Amino acid sequence: MTTEHERSRRGVLRGAAAVTLGTGFAAGATAGTAAAVGGTARADEPVSGASARERSGRRLDVAVLLYDGFTALDAVGPYETLCRVPGVRVTMVARRAGPVRTDTGELSVTAERSLREMPRADVLLVPGGGERGTTTTMADAGTLDWIRRVHRRSTWTTSVCTGALILGAAGLLRGLPATTHWASGPYLGEFGATYTPGRFVEAGKIITAAGVSAGVDMALHLAARLSDEKVAQATQLALEYDPDPPYDTGSPEKADAELRALALRLIADAAV
Amino acid sequence: MTTEHERSRRGVLRGAAAVTLGTGFAAGATAGTAAAVGGTARADEPVSGASARERSGRRLDVAVLLYDGFTALDAVGPYETLCRVPGVRVTMVARRAGPVRTDTGELSVTAERSLREMPRADVLLVPGGGERGTTTTMADAGTLDWIRRVHRRSTWTTSVCTGALILGAAGLLRGLPATTHWASGPYLGEFGATYTPGRFVEAGKIITAAGVSAGVDMALHLAARLSDEKVAQATQLALEYDPDPPYDTGSPEKADAELRALALRLIADAAV
């Protein structure tokens, strides 16, 4: 009964998809299998979406550094954006493999591998965290050494939010324009970087993103660099990332001093 | 040395924040502690941001249902948005407490409590998942019973992406307008719901959000309902949610049939 129920669901979900997709897709979709969907897309569009493995003969590894007190969305937004790019594997790593607590203490994400088990990656992504998590990691020689080692051979070294301060503490931002969470921007100067507000800033192979949610915008840009623009655009569609927040208070320029102070208090009060 | 390093960081991070915040905030910020930041905000703004516990005398519980094959961002986007709302606690729950695998198999998020340990919540949020995870959960009588029981006493029952199909399978969407991932929209009719495209759709106490990233927009709306608009706006600022994706292909109307087919293939190929 359950199995039959599931089977019908599988068919119908694909069928439902087909309804919205119109001409050229129905044939593949009514077959009701992912394979058929893939086959149809492949037929329509032979080059774009060919996996990086198909093109380069190997997988691209993205390592996302987790640490006690990191901010979940800083890591999961880019993970969700990059994990469907053909040929890309996203791996959560931390000093020790296993569950890693976020800044609020309410959530844990599992690090699949330890830093030692992942000595290199094509893409390094350092998420931001609460003040305790960020400052502790900025002072953690072992983690900073690992970041420098991975950076030496990476294709892209990236950060989200206060992850830029960690890249800075590792000495990677000297003389570069960079961004971070709006509340920490001026602090980048202490690492010889120039705070450059923006959703993300690319300087050589280093890309830094602004606060928390900006990691998704950066990751779409990165998806195009790792694959091609069609794949990045299809990824945005897969995530239905057509943002329409109910307010327009997402940057400090769009908020008054009172709202900025309240935002900082919400951040501070939720932190453990 | 490390401790001193950390202490200086703590001060400087707050100090840096103050620079961007200008008048009325400097006094609190230069004190260099979260408490001072909070104190300043409280002085400026006595009502907004007062925690729900301060106002209602109790905590508001948000339960996010995790299941094997859920989509990480569907759950983590709303978690990140709601976890800083004063008086709100977000708890990840699943049939069994412990790590729960996402649809790509590359990531695990920990369920802090089992369904049995969380028999009620003020807000229920059901994320979407890959086809296997969604259809299996739609056929899981125990989980559907738990959803119906929690819904009976919830203030809000919500979903992201194909989580709406799970609410539908639980019989909660009959006669209601609702939304889900664009590729599954037409399928809502099977549950007596009317597919209503939009970032999120509120129908009585049920709010359904569109695909994946739409959960953040819905959660900002929910933050205002659980607290007030100032807190929701400050939360958007805390997340620096001022979206600016490099492309404009986030909805099916903005993509051609080829891009829609590629998006479905990326979703299908990444699923385990």
Side-chain angles (χ1 to χ4, degrees):
Chain A
M1 176 55 193
T2 293
T3 320
E4 194 176 331
H5 183 86
E6 280 184 47
R7 210 178 294 110
S8 78
R9 291 283 182 262
R10 285 210 165 69
V12 179
L13 278 170
R14 284 294 153 210
V19 176
T20 67
L21 293 173
T23 18
F25 184 73
T30 48
T33 70
V37 172
T40 307
R42 211 177 303 270
D44 294 345
E45 213 295 332
V47 175
S48 189
S51 80
R53 184 191 270 113
E54 282 157 32
R55 289 201 305 271
S56 73
R58 65 178 200 83
R59 186 187 60 221
L60 295 174
D61 273 308
V62 176
V64 177
L65 173 67
L66 304 187
Y67 52 87
D68 182 43
F70 78 102
T71 299
L73 189 55
D74 291 24
V76 172
Y79 149 82
E80 198 69 73
T81 308
L82 295 172
C83 68
R84 290 178 183 80
V85 173
V88 170
R89 181 180 69 174
V90 183
T91 305
M92 300 285 170
V93 299
R95 290 210 72 154
R96 271 170 301 282
V100 181
R101 281 265 163 208
T102 63
D103 48 1
T104 64
E106 288 178 346
L107 182 72
S108 292
V109 174
T110 303
E112 301 293 326
R113 300 170 73 181
S114 68
L115 301 187
R116 181 163 302 133
E117 292 170 316
M118 191 125 189
R120 76 186 58 152
D122 300 286
V123 179
L124 168 62
L125 188 142
V126 179
E131 189 153 333
R132 180 186 57 81
T134 303
T135 54
T136 303
T137 306
M138 288 164 71
D140 177 355
T143 298
L144 297 183
D145 287 343
W146 178 83
I147 289 171
R148 282 185 288 261
R149 275 201 309 279
V150 173
H151 172 67
R152 228 170 275 133
R153 307 178 64 163
S154 70
T155 307
W156 298 101
T157 297
T158 70
S159 65
V160 178
C161 199
T162 58
L165 304 182
I166 297 170
L167 292 186
L172 305 187
L173 299 184
R174 280 189 212 93
L176 299 179
T179 193
T180 181
H181 190 281
W182 58 267
S184 299
Y187 188 47
L188 283 171
E190 187 164 300
F191 304 112
T194 308
Y195 176 46
T196 309
R199 289 304 275 174
F200 55 87
V201 174
E202 185 174 320
K205 72 176 190 178
I206 293 182
I207 311 177
T208 50
V212 193
S213 62
V216 174
D217 292 337
M218 176 184 75
L220 282 170
H221 171 74
L222 204 49
R225 297 311 203 100
L226 296 177
S227 185
D228 59 47
E229 291 213 314
K230 265 213 155 45
V231 164
Q233 290 164 357
T235 298
Q236 182 177 357
L237 181 57
L239 301 180
E240 204 162 346
Y241 184 43
D242 188 27
D244 184 20
Y247 308 105
D248 188 23
T249 57
S251 78
E253 299 71 28
K254 297 175 175 178
D256 59 19
E258 178 187 309
L259 202 61
R260 293 193 296 265
L262 179 56
L264 286 185
R265 178 154 78 87
L266 296 181
I267 292 170
D269 288 358
V272 292
Chain B
M1 177 53 193
T2 293
T3 321
E4 195 175 329
H5 183 85
E6 281 184 46
R7 208 177 297 108
S8 78
R9 290 284 181 261
R10 286 208 166 70
V12 179
L13 278 169
R14 282 295 150 211
V19 176
T20 68
L21 293 172
T23 17
F25 184 73
T30 48
T33 71
V37 172
T40 307
R42 209 178 303 271
D44 294 344
E45 213 293 334
V47 176
S48 189
S51 80
R53 182 192 271 115
E54 281 157 31
R55 289 201 305 271
S56 73
R58 65 179 200 82
R59 187 186 59 223
L60 295 173
D61 273 308
V62 177
V64 178
L65 173 67
L66 303 187
Y67 51 87
D68 182 44
F70 78 103
T71 300
L73 189 55
D74 292 23
V76 172
Y79 149 82
E80 198 68 73
T81 308
L82 295 172
C83 68
R84 290 178 184 80
V85 174
V88 170
R89 182 180 68 174
V90 183
T91 304
M92 300 285 170
V93 299
R95 290 210 71 155
R96 271 170 301 282
V100 181
R101 280 265 162 209
T102 63
D103 47 2
T104 63
E106 288 177 346
L107 181 73
S108 292
V109 175
T110 302
E112 301 294 326
R113 300 170 74 180
S114 69
L115 300 187
R116 180 163 302 135
E117 292 170 315
M118 191 125 189
R120 78 186 57 153
D122 300 287
V123 179
L124 168 63
L125 188 143
V126 180
E131 188 153 333
R132 180 186 56 81
T134 302
T135 54
T136 303
T137 306
M138 288 164 71
D140 177 354
T143 298
L144 297 182
D145 286 344
W146 179 84
I147 289 172
R148 282 184 288 260
R149 276 201 308 279
V150 173
H151 172 67
R152 227 169 276 133
R153 308 179 63 161
S154 71
T155 307
W156 298 101
T157 297
T158 69
S159 66
V160 178
C161 200
T162 58
L165 304 182
I166 297 171
L167 292 186
L172 306 187
L173 298 184
R174 280 188 213 95
L176 299 180
T179 193
T180 182
H181 191 281
W182 58 268
S184 299
Y187 188 47
L188 282 171
E190 186 164 300
F191 304 112
T194 308
Y195 176 46
T196 309
R199 289 304 274 174
F200 55 87
V201 173
E202 185 175 320
K205 73 176 189 178
I206 294 182
I207 311 178
T208 50
V212 194
S213 62
V216 175
D217 292 337
M218 176 184 76
L220 282 171
H221 171 73
L222 205 49
R225 298 309 204 103
L226 296 177
S227 185
D228 58 48
E229 291 214 314
K230 266 214 155 44
V231 164
Q233 290 164 357
T235 298
Q236 182 177 356
L237 181 57
L239 301 180
E240 204 162 349
Y241 184 43
D242 188 27
D244 184 20
Y247 308 104
D248 187 23
T249 57
S251 78
E253 299 71 29
K254 297 175 174 177
D256 60 18
E258 178 187 309
L259 203 61
R260 292 193 297 263
L262 179 57
L264 286 184
R265 178 154 80 86
L266 295 181
I267 292 170
D269 289 356
V272 293

